[in-house]
Every structure is written in C-alpha cells, then in structure tokens.
Amino acid sequence: MTMTDFSGAITVVVADDHPLFVEGIRSALEQAAGLSVAGTACDDLDALRLCVRLSPQVLLADLTMLGALGSLRRRCPAVRVLALGDDDGEAGFMSALRAGANGYLLKGSGPAEIAAAIRSVALGQVVFGGGLAPRLLDRLTAPQSRSPFPGLTQREHEILERLADGRSNAEIARELCLATKTVRNHVSNVLTKLAAPSRVDAALRARDAGLGSRPVLTRV
C-alpha cells in the first residue's frame, strides 16, 4: 500500500491484485491533467482502509476486488467507484453495477479513456467502455421474452445460465462477485426449484431452453 500527497485535483485510489498493473495505471494517471493518485492497494481491505483514511473522490478497482464495497458504501458514501475487468460482454458490466460500481471499463482501455471515465464518475455520471455500448443498448431495447424458468429469482437465473456454460462454483463466484459459499447455496436452490437431481441435469435443461453462450462440443 502506497500513498502520495495531492491537492486541487480529482483524487483517485487504484486497487488491483497485480502490482505491475497498479504501477502502470498510477504512472499513466499521474500524467493526466486534473487527476491525482492518492494511493494504491493490492487487496480489497487495503483499498477500503485507504478510502477511509484519504476520502478520495474515486476508487479505481479491479472488478474481482469489489467484495468490500458494502463496507465502503457505509463508511465512505461519497467515494465513487469505477471498476476494471476483462469481460467485454454484458456480464462484466452488470456484475459491476450489481456490486455497486458507478462505471465499468475493460482493462485494455487506453489511459485517455480511463482518465476521462474517472472524471465522469467523479461528476456523478455512470460510465462504461465504448465497446460495450451497442450490446447494452440492444439488450435494453430488445423485446423482453418470458423466462423459461419463472420460479427462479433473477440471481438464480444468472446462476443457471452459468451452469449451462459448465462453469464451476468458483468461476461463477468470480464473475458475479459473490462468495463461493453463496454460489453453492444458490445452486442448491436452483436444483430444488427445478427438481433436478444434479447440476448436470439442470445445465442440460437450461441448454434445452436456450440458455448458455459457450459452444457445446460433441463427438462425431
């Protein structure tokens, strides 16, 4: 955890579990006009402690490190959060919003885009990477179809979609920013509601209903 002095600029705390990535972002932001990196952290608890101590305007954090965001909202409600992730689809953006972030960018975004997004988030706007815009607009404007599993909650439906893709509990937990135990509980609820004897059976039923995005490999 490192800290620097700042004054008269939008203050930012950068948090990621890859120190080299953190230093690269820090170096880029320190060259951007009107931004000041108040500190850096390599885990969510250090990020929380820095935000409590320094009250930055923006926390720029890896999507997988937003587990402590609930505590951050209670202790530092004025801090805005911009998440960085690797998922260039809707899932990453929606996971960031569900975790309480005010914006989402891909880690491959350029320094100018990240700096602009930080400024926008600091002003109270919700932002997301330009490449995500067309897909999100399509989703928002597309006609809503009836769910094939109306008995499931929205979260359970999200879990079932990922079961259909063959994802493990650990993978689902990372994607949705949930604890692995919480995912296990949701999977158990899904199996109970579907009267499915196993997650494989639930996954096959979900596939039959059109859920899942990964290609299914079959032998010929």
Side-chain angles (χ1 to χ4, degrees):
M1 179 175 64
T2 62
M3 292 175 288
T4 59
D5 294 329
F6 54 85
S7 62
I10 294 173
T11 53
V12 186
V13 163
V14 181
D16 192 282
D17 57 3
H18 292 87
L20 290 178
F21 180 79
V22 168
E23 287 307 311
I25 291 291
R26 177 191 185 119
S27 177
L29 294 183
E30 286 179 340
Q31 299 178 47
L35 300 182
S36 176
V37 178
T40 63
C42 288
D43 64 60
D44 54 355
L45 294 181
D46 269 349
L48 176 61
R49 283 191 285 264
L50 269 181
C51 288
V52 170
R53 180 175 179 181
L54 300 176
S55 296
Q57 289 162 277
V58 178
L59 169 63
L60 179 67
D62 184 272
L63 178 61
T64 62
M65 295 178 64
L66 299 187
L69 198 56
S71 297
L72 176 66
R73 289 298 186 213
R74 290 191 298 271
R75 302 180 66 178
C76 307
V79 176
R80 306 278 294 175
V81 178
L82 178 59
L84 289 172
D86 296 312
D87 190 334
D88 64 353
E90 180 187 345
F93 176 72
M94 295 306 297
S95 294
L97 291 187
R98 281 190 292 267
N102 305 108
Y104 177 71
L105 291 180
L106 297 179
K107 283 193 171 183
S109 301
E113 183 179 2
I114 295 175
I118 290 172
R119 296 187 188 101
S120 296
V121 165
L123 292 173
Q125 300 173 9
V126 175
V127 301
F128 50 90
L132 300 174
R135 276 167 287 184
L136 293 172
L137 289 174
D138 286 344
R139 176 61 180 268
L140 291 173
T141 57
Q144 298 299 308
S145 59
R146 184 179 299 274
S147 169
F149 304 103
L152 302 183
T153 65
Q154 180 179 347
R155 179 63 84 186
E156 289 166 352
H157 198 276
E158 292 167 351
I159 297 290
L160 181 59
E161 286 184 307
R162 285 157 178 79
L163 289 181
D165 281 336
R167 286 174 166 80
S168 67
N169 287 354
E171 289 177 313
I172 297 172
R174 285 194 298 271
E175 285 190 17
L176 299 181
C177 298
L178 297 173
T180 304
K181 181 179 179 181
T182 300
V183 172
R184 284 201 301 269
N185 291 337
H186 282 308
V187 170
S188 178
N189 291 338
V190 168
L191 298 185
T192 298
K193 290 183 178 182
L194 298 185
S198 70
R199 64 191 293 140
V200 173
D201 181 76
L204 291 174
R205 290 177 60 181
R207 275 287 182 176
D208 289 341
L211 301 184
S213 59
R214 287 181 174 176
V216 178
L217 301 180
T218 57
R219 292 184 179 181
V220 295

